[in-house]
Amino acid sequence: MSVEEAVPVTPRRRPAGDPVKALLHRHRALCERAVDPLEIAAGLEAHGLTDRTAARFRHRDVFSLAEELYARTPRGDAPPGPARPARTAAPPAMRRLGYALLPGALVLGASAAGVAWAGPVAVAAVAAALVWPGRTAGGRFPGLAHLLAALAVGWATYRHGAVLAVALALAVLPGYLAAAGYAALARRRLAGSRALEEFAAGARPLFLGALTLFTAAAAGAAALAGAPLAEAVPLAVLLFLTRLLLSHGARGAHRRPVAAALALALVPAAAAAAAAGLLVLAVLALSRASAHAPVGDDRP
């Protein structure tokens, strides 16, 4: 018997496939456009990947998986410079601050002058500014949401008087500041998180804090304008939640529920129910990392 016959030949085991390479191929466009691993992590979460499923790719969480995807993505020799967003961020921010100041100034000026069209001016200004996030995260202009917001504010103003529109106009600036502050704190929290569950646990108190501050400011604006709190505050909160969901909605997925809530607000005394429905959606949606980082094609 030969040596070859004496020694059993064991079949060579094929090396296991590279699951991360397959994932990189599937999300190549996302990985190539990302300027840091956070964008990749948010994009993976938007596609349904969780920390638990990240274990299938031999990683403890989505963030560490995103770091490997970012490191393995081929890039050009020229590093992506962070100066481009920094140059273009200041002028739009100043314009949005001006838009937030404008409604209150217009409405107070029209009311002080005693002009008959103070109510319509307030309606138009509030609908344009309080829910104005520009384009949604999906890159589309939410025209239906703005139209329904204008109808809701106009119908409430018709039923309760111009003081309601004045109160909402005065709440535009606090709404802008609360939304901007919340977005900045949420992104800072995202940068310091190492797991999706960890980020969600820290993001919820930030959102509830911003909502509480805005609700108090809206109540103060209603009291200053002499508007009924039971009518002004729920409608203001509804518009504030609309702003947040449209500006942070992954792939514009929140346009339909926002439109439904605004349509419900057209029913008398239903603004509080509409705001409560959007609040539940906002708590769930804004706790996701993908709501606070640009994702691939979703960049406006």
Side-chain angles (χ1 to χ4, degrees):
M1 180 180 295
S2 64
V3 178
E4 288 81 0
E5 292 174 344
V7 179
V9 178
T10 58
R12 181 175 297 179
R13 185 173 297 176
R14 296 180 64 184
D18 186 351
V20 178
K21 183 177 180 180
L23 188 67
L24 176 61
H25 178 74
R26 193 182 314 153
H27 299 286
R28 177 170 296 275
L30 167 67
C31 296
E32 289 178 347
R33 277 190 289 265
V35 298
D36 55 36
L38 288 178
E39 292 192 21
I40 299 178
L44 294 177
E45 186 206 33
H47 285 88
L49 198 70
T50 65
D51 289 332
R52 184 170 300 175
T53 56
R56 288 166 31 202
F57 301 95
R58 304 165 188 168
H59 281 270
R60 66 183 183 276
D61 53 48
V62 174
F63 283 82
S64 63
L65 175 59
E67 288 174 348
E68 180 177 350
L69 288 172
Y70 184 79
R72 293 175 62 171
T73 300
R75 304 177 189 280
D77 296 333
R84 182 179 57 85
R87 286 197 307 265
T88 59
M94 294 302 296
R95 285 199 301 270
R96 286 192 291 268
L97 179 59
Y99 295 153
L101 288 168
L102 189 60
L106 284 176
V107 170
L108 289 178
S111 299
V115 296
W117 41 268
V121 167
V123 171
V126 169
L130 192 55
V131 298
W132 187 278
R135 294 181 297 175
T136 64
R140 297 181 180 179
F141 180 77
L144 178 60
H146 288 289
L147 175 61
L148 289 172
L151 291 176
V153 173
W155 179 233
T157 299
Y158 174 77
R159 289 186 288 116
H160 300 286
V163 291
L164 180 61
V166 172
L168 294 176
L170 294 177
V172 170
L173 181 60
Y176 167 78
L177 295 176
Y182 165 69
L185 290 175
R187 292 209 178 194
R188 186 180 304 172
R189 177 75 188 184
L190 178 60
S193 298
R194 293 302 310 166
L196 297 178
E197 288 83 358
E198 177 188 350
F199 171 76
R204 293 188 191 100
L206 291 179
F207 164 68
L208 294 176
L211 179 62
T212 300
L213 289 176
F214 174 74
T215 303
L224 183 63
L229 292 178
E231 302 295 336
V233 174
L235 187 54
V237 170
L238 175 63
L239 295 174
F240 179 67
L241 294 174
T242 295
R243 180 191 189 106
L244 290 182
L245 286 170
L246 288 179
S247 56
H248 294 281
R251 300 183 180 273
H254 303 146
R255 290 193 298 269
R256 289 183 179 178
V258 163
L262 292 172
L264 178 62
L266 294 172
V267 179
L278 272 195
L279 176 59
V280 174
L281 175 63
V283 170
L284 297 175
L286 299 179
S287 299
R288 295 171 60 86
S290 54
H292 302 281
V295 180
D297 294 333
D298 295 340
R299 292 185 187 183

